[in-house]
Amino acid sequence: MKKYPVSRTAVFLTAAVFSFLVDHLTKIAAQRLAWKTSFNEGVSFGLFNSVDPAALSAANIVILFVLLILCIRSSGRRGPAFYLGCGMMFGGTAGNLADRLAHGRVIDWLPLPFSEFFFRSGLWVNAADIFLTAGSATVILALWMAAGEDEGSDAD
């Protein structure tokens, strides 16, 4: 069994707090510097924008608890990358939840290039969305790499 010199909890908490703070600070900057922003009342890509904001907030809270439980219950064999990804997803989800609770919608400030060719007003994202996506990719990559290590150890 591989041992890692870094605490899983420290990696998770550092990534979560960093992701949340970057998201929060960039949204403040976007508003104070009068950047063009988009307000998303739905979920990713503006889907389900007619759903009650309280229901979306409840869904965000459930997602936060599921992420937390998955990280806590995962075996100690997971490497730091797994907890880094979980922390990024947790921080991103918490960032969007904070927006939803404070404003009833999520503030997006980064337009995706060429998205207006596919969506009428284009697609807008924020740092939380970027951390959610990067965190998901990091978790998938970490699990894939761990599966490869498991297969290699079975051959021994």
Side-chain angles (χ1 to χ4, degrees):
M1 183 152 107
K2 228 180 201 181
K3 292 206 176 209
Y4 297 97
V6 179
S7 161
R8 298 179 309 213
T9 304
V11 171
F12 174 82
L13 288 176
T14 301
V17 170
F18 179 80
S19 302
F20 179 82
L21 288 176
V22 167
D23 178 59
H24 188 67
L25 292 174
T26 55
K27 288 173 182 172
I28 290 171
Q31 292 178 314
R32 295 239 169 107
L33 298 173
W35 296 345
K36 187 174 178 183
T37 57
S38 173
F39 296 101
N40 181 355
E41 295 178 2
V43 295
S44 296
F45 310 118
L47 298 172
F48 307 115
N49 60 0
S50 61
V51 174
D52 179 36
L56 291 175
S57 295
N60 272 359
I61 292 168
V62 168
I63 291 168
L64 282 173
F65 278 116
V66 168
L67 280 170
L68 198 54
I69 290 168
L70 285 174
C71 280
I72 290 170
R73 304 250 332 146
S74 68
S75 71
R77 292 178 34 211
R78 304 277 185 238
F82 176 81
Y83 296 98
L84 174 69
C86 284
M88 289 166 47
M89 289 189 300
F90 191 89
T93 302
N96 281 342
L97 176 61
D99 264 8
R100 202 168 297 287
L101 293 174
H103 309 290
R105 57 192 178 188
V106 174
I107 301 166
D108 290 331
W109 54 268
L110 181 65
L112 295 180
F114 307 110
S115 62
E116 64 275 359
F117 293 125
F118 305 102
F119 299 92
R120 190 174 337 166
S121 58
L123 293 178
W124 292 72
V125 297
N126 56 42
D129 299 330
I130 294 167
F131 283 116
L132 279 163
T133 303
S136 299
T138 303
V139 165
I140 290 168
L141 183 61
L143 292 173
W144 179 63
M145 290 173 62
E149 289 175 5
D150 288 345
E151 287 177 11
S153 66
D154 289 343
D156 293 336

